[in-house]
Amino acid sequence: MNQILKFSLLIALCFAAFALQAQILPPPPPGGAPVDGGAGFLVAAGLAYGAKKLRDARRRKQQDEGENTP
């Protein structure tokens, strides 16, 4: 009885595999994401952030050198 149940389950799973196959994806829409103003804002923000970090590091270095000299 146990072998019959295993065999019937195997046959059922084999037939279910054909019915449960994934569908084909639709083609992507034409064109792409516009990269006009958004990328420029990101570059400008990155440059501003880098300049601020550089300025803060220089100020911190000058303060440390001023405190170390007697």
Side-chain angles (χ1 to χ4, degrees):
M1 178 72 177
N2 194 11
Q3 290 179 348
I4 295 173
L5 182 62
K6 287 182 183 178
F7 183 72
S8 61
L9 185 61
L10 177 67
I11 296 297
L13 287 176
C14 287
F15 284 117
F18 291 114
L20 298 177
Q21 287 182 351
Q23 295 179 359
I24 298 173
L25 295 175
V35 187
D36 50 357
F41 287 124
L42 285 175
V43 169
L47 288 173
Y49 181 71
K52 181 186 179 311
K53 294 296 267 185
L54 185 62
R55 188 182 72 208
D56 290 344
R58 285 183 181 171
R59 284 185 181 176
R60 194 175 317 120
K61 185 177 178 182
Q62 287 177 353
Q63 287 177 354
D64 289 345
E65 287 176 356
E67 292 174 359
N68 291 337
T69 52

